[in-house]
Structure formats: structure tokens, C-alpha cells
Amino acid sequence: MPSVEQQFLHELDEKLWKAADKLRNNLDAANYKHVVLGLIFLKYVSDAFEERQRELLELFKNDADDNIYSLPREDFDSDAEYEQALNDELEILDYYREANVFWVPKESRWSTLKEKAALPTGSVLWQNSKGEDVRLRSVGWLIDNALEAIEKSNDKLKGVLEGISRFQVDNDKLIGLINSFSDTSFTQPTLDGEPLSLRSKDILGHVYEYFLGQFALAEGKQGGQYYTPKSIVSLIVEMLEPYKGRVYDPAMGSGGFFVSSDKFIEEHAREHHYDPAEQKKHVSIYGQESNPTTWRLAAMNMAIRGIDFNFGKKNADSFLDDQHPDLRADFVMANPPFNVKDWWHQSLAEDVRWQYGTPPKGNANFAWLQHMLHHLAPVGSMALLLANGSMSSNSGGEGEIRRRLVEQDLVECIVALPGQLFTNTQIPACIWFLTRDKTGGLSPNGVEKRRRKGEVLFIDARQQGYMRDRVLRDFTREDIARISDTFHTWQRTDAFENVPGFCASKDLAAIEKHDFVLTPGRYVGAAAQEEDDEPFADKMARLTAQLKDQFEESDRLEAEIKRNLGGLGYGI
């Protein structure tokens, strides 16, 4: 039975998606996501800003001696003067920055947007700094103006917020979207009159994530470039546990790994009675993305959740224009596009990153892996989603690179995944976990690990999960827990035991016997069959008697059919 919070979010998803989906008559999925996500972003920052305004107003009116924000009424000659002072104080930018809330100029606030969008084209909106009338050109222009004003007021968003007027969406459709988004209390949500324990950040973050998934489905193959299935992201984050240190994703898409890490940190903090906000101060986020649209989506995704980030100065190719050349991260995780063929450039021929062999020019899989290793700190850990071919291919020198990785004892764990997990590809996938240090001791997040020199864990998870619909498979929370618990037990304790058909720990000599092929199925064996304690003679007698009874029943049914057919005049 879903909770009231889950029911609220489900109903909200359907309502907002239904409103947004009306744009599909005018725009394809690749474009209308910018319109919708731009409005979601405006709604969120405006709601968060107004929520902070309400908090400040209460603080200003509270005349307690220890309240540094207090603005006593007795200091003013009249109510009008007092009200004006309160309003002036609410417009001081530093009050919002100190609470990690984006400053939203008046022309960008949702109430302004809703009010002005309903006016006829050409209406006077306000006067600019020169005292000139600013008139409404279109609703798209009004939204662009709101986004641009937020960018100018927040350094982190410079060059991030794209305008929507270029898509030339009808005013009426945009007004409909604004009204649909307005018709929900994001800061004080209720369901059937019941107040819900959901913050504006939680609701808008959820909606944003839901929309990204829906856009990925709508766009098909192209949409997957910015969306990794939530269950796979959760699995990797729970296995790595990146709740302290530098976290890096060189193919970040819309930032799914960072969002999941942020949620993991909050859960971990609550579980151990830490302050989540304090815990997050110990994490630094670094990312890179080549696609300009996706780079902006990621920045918006972080801003919506109040996550501090460094995504470089611009969108850029991780191989040709590394935005973090000196970074050595404690945790590196990525889902780069599989089997990319056109990645190579002659300038990469003698690149310092190819420590274990130059990757083939026609496949970037081992280029991504070595790029990530290059950015990995001496005691760091990394996880990389790759096509299954990476575990066994020998073409273009891949087999030689894989051999060197194993011989250098960098491979920690290989997880084989079930098919049909991705919206954009049917290519079977696996997860590589690598580390530079298997000697044991404290990891960057403070977890004690045992000595694992010369050992590799193989997990065959191809039978895990369930079919969410006719096309897509998904993991349950139990599936994720089983895989991550297996990894942590092997990594940290001496209590690990091989489970036939699921997991096995092997030494490097065993891997060498298989010519350095890393497919888990070769190492975990077949699943154990249930024990059969029935003696063979008794079992044979029982089965023979069963067969005799079945033959007799067959003869009886055949005779019955012949009698019935004979009665109908058919000669048998």
C-alpha cells in the first residue's frame, strides 16, 4: 500500500506530465523538455525563495533578545513605515545566500510570471533602470527574461539557463503550463486535506527526476544520453558509498549519480544521527559532459537540490578537453555511452592516461576506463558501466589492456547485469569496480576494509530483478541490497562465502586460466540444486507406478472419446 506521500507524488507526476505532454503536438521530445524543465526550475527556485521570505518575516517580527534578525515595531513611527522596512529587508540578497537559497529577482518570481503572462501582448510590465516602459512581447520572452535575470544574480548559473522563446510555443499553451504548475502547493503540500511531510526540494526534485525518465522514454535512443536507470545508479552508489571525499563523473549526463549520492548521504547521516547538511560539507562534486544541453540540465538538476558542484567552465569532451586535469577523486563513477566508435583524435596517441595500453580507435570503452583510473586517488574506488564485450573482447588490443589491469591487481569486482535495464539500448551490460589499493585499512569514507590483494569478486546478477513492463526490467530494493551486501561482506570481513550461480571470489591464477576473461558466469558456477533424499529404488518404483496410472487414464479417455464419436455416427 503506497504511503500518502507516494500517492501525492504519483498523482502530481501524472497531472504535470499530462499538461506537459500537450506540447508534443508542437515540439518533439528533444525540444519540449527544455520548455518544461525550464518552468520546473523557475517554479522551484521561486518556491524556495518565497519559503525563505516567510521564515525571514517571522524572524524580523520576533523581538526576542537573542534574535539577531529582529526588527522591533517600536523602532518605527507608523505601521506603514514598519511594513516598508520589512519589505526592504526581505529584498537583501545575503539573507538568502546564507541559507543556500537562490536569489530570485522580482521579475523572475512565479507570482510575477503568472500575473504578467495573462496580460495582452504589448502591455506595460514594469519600468527598467532607465525609467523606460518594458512591454510584454510574448510569454516565451517573459520566461526567457525571468531565466536571464536569475542567471545574472547567481554566479553558479552563468551560461546554464537556456531560453525557450526560440521554440516558438503558443502563448496559450505556455499559460496553460504555468497554470498547471501553479495549481499545487509545493511548499505546504496536502492530500485530501492532510498535510504531508514533504519539502519543496523533495517534491520538485522528484518531479524533475520523473520528467527526465519520461523524456528518455519519449526520445528513445537519443534520450538515454542523459538518463541512467535509477536502480542502476542506486546500486553503484550503495556499493561505493561515496559519503565523504571528492566524487567525479566524467560522463555525467544530467547528474543522476550526484543526485543519488546526495540522497545516500542524507540517509546515512540520519541513520548515524549526523546532521545531513554538515555531512554534505565533506563531499565535493566534480563532473564533465560534452553535450551542451545535457551539461545545462545537470547544472539545473544540482541547483534544484542545493548541491554545490564544479562542472568545469563549459561543456567539453572528457578525452580532448579535460576540465579537471589535476583532479584525483576518492570516488569515480560513470555510465558513458557504450562502444563509441568516433572518439579518437590523433592528439591522443601518446596520452598519459593510457597506462595499460592505447585503446582501440574504434571503441572508447577502455579509454573511459583508463581516463577514470587516471583521475582516481591512490586509495580511491571507481565503478564503470560498460557493454558486456569489455569482459571478454580481444579486438584492438582490448584483451591485452584487460590482462594488464588484472595483473596490476586493479580489478576489484565485476557484476553481470540482466538484460532490458536501459531505455535506450538492448546491449547487455556489466559494472566494473576498480581500486588502486587492496591492502586494507580505512577508505576515504572511513570504512575499514580487509586485505584483498590478488582477489577479485564476481557477481552474476543476470537473474535478479523483475519486468516492470513488457519492455523494461528493474531491480527491487532487495535485489540492490543483496548485491551490495555481498560486495561489502567480501570487501570488509572474513565471513564471505561463495554462492554457486551468484557470486565467487577468485585469485588471479584462476583468472589467468581463463585467459583473463572476466565474465562472472565462468567463475560462479551453476546454482545448487535442491537436495533429494529419496532412495533411488523407491523413487524408481514411485515414478513407474505414476506412469502406469497415467497410461491407464490415457486408455480410458481414448475409449470414452471413441464411444462418443460412435454415438454421433462417426465410424472409428
Side-chain angles (χ1 to χ4, degrees), residues 30 57 63 96 156 178 196 207 267 275 315 403 475 494 499 518:
L57 204 53
D63 57 3
Y96 302 89
K156 274 283 182 185
I178 290 170
L196 303 178
V207 169
E267 290 171 9
D275 176 8
N315 60 288
R403 178 182 67 79
F475 281 147
D494 294 319
V499 177
L518 298 179

Side-chain angles (χ1 to χ4, degrees), residues 247 249 252 255-262 285-287 302 307 311:
V247 181
D249 182 348
M252 66 183 179
F257 280 115
F258 302 136
V259 171
S260 193
S261 297
D262 190 64
I285 297 294
Y286 298 86
M302 299 303 103
I307 301 173
F311 291 165

Side-chain angles (χ1 to χ4, degrees), residues 376-556:
L376 191 63
V379 293
S381 298
M382 61 171 268
L384 173 64
L385 267 162
L386 286 178
N388 274 1
S390 62
M391 298 185 292
S392 58
S393 170
N394 290 314
S395 61
E398 288 184 334
E400 193 62 22
I401 296 173
R402 190 170 55 250
R403 178 182 67 79
R404 289 173 185 153
L405 293 169
V406 172
E407 288 178 342
Q408 292 293 315
D409 207 12
L410 295 164
V411 181
E412 183 167 34
C413 176
I414 300 287
V415 179
L417 297 171
Q420 296 179 269
L421 286 171
F422 297 86
T423 59
N424 60 322
T425 180
Q426 293 302 309
I427 298 174
C430 59
I431 312 173
W432 289 60
F433 290 86
L434 293 93
T435 183
R436 292 190 180 279
D437 184 11
K438 293 184 184 176
T439 57
L442 281 180
S443 65
N445 58 8
V447 172
E448 185 78 37
K449 297 179 181 177
R450 69 176 182 86
R451 181 180 174 84
R452 308 171 312 288
K453 294 288 287 182
E455 297 177 39
V456 177
L457 175 65
F458 294 94
I459 298 177
D460 190 343
R462 289 176 298 171
Q463 302 307 312
Q464 305 300 300
Y466 68 100
M467 292 305 294
R468 195 172 74 192
D469 52 41
R470 288 181 300 172
V471 179
L472 287 174
R473 180 177 286 272
D474 205 351
F475 281 147
T476 64
R477 290 298 308 163
E478 291 73 25
D479 294 324
I480 292 171
R482 185 188 185 197
I483 297 167
S484 60
D485 288 350
T486 298
F487 179 56
H488 294 152
T489 300
W490 172 85
Q491 195 181 52
R492 302 170 188 176
T493 74
D494 294 319
F496 173 82
E497 293 182 3
N498 292 346
V499 177
F502 178 65
C503 64
S505 182
K506 296 294 180 180
D507 60 22
L508 302 190
I511 297 172
E512 184 178 4
K513 286 179 184 176
H514 285 280
D515 295 323
F516 300 96
V517 169
L518 298 179
T519 308
R522 293 199 176 199
Y523 301 97
V524 302
Q529 301 297 313
E530 288 187 19
E531 290 290 330
D532 188 352
D533 297 328
E534 187 177 12
F536 177 77
D538 293 347
K539 187 174 186 177
M540 194 66 187
R542 177 174 59 78
L543 292 175
T544 301
Q546 273 183 2
L547 190 61
K548 179 173 178 290
D549 290 343
Q550 287 167 355
F551 280 146
E552 289 174 354
E553 178 65 9
S554 174
D555 291 341
R556 186 189 67 76

Side-chain angles (χ1 to χ4, degrees), residues 181-232:
F181 280 39
S182 299
D183 190 24
T184 302
S185 174
F186 288 101
T187 49
Q188 297 172 323
T190 60
L191 183 69
D192 299 331
E194 277 189 62
L196 303 178
S197 57
L198 287 169
R199 297 171 297 171
S200 171
K201 170 183 165 184
D202 297 326
I203 300 167
L204 267 293
H206 168 88
V207 169
Y208 199 87
E209 192 170 323
Y210 172 79
F211 270 56
L212 284 175
Q214 291 298 104
F215 287 130
L217 286 170
E219 288 184 60
K221 188 173 182 180
Q222 288 73 30
Q225 70 180 327
Y226 60 84
Y227 187 77
T228 305
K230 186 178 175 183
S231 59
I232 302 301

Side-chain angles (χ1 to χ4, degrees), residues 317-330:
D317 185 298
S318 292
F319 300 131
L320 299 173
D321 189 5
D322 193 341
Q323 294 289 293
H324 309 286
D326 301 321
L327 174 65
R328 296 297 178 268
D330 301 296

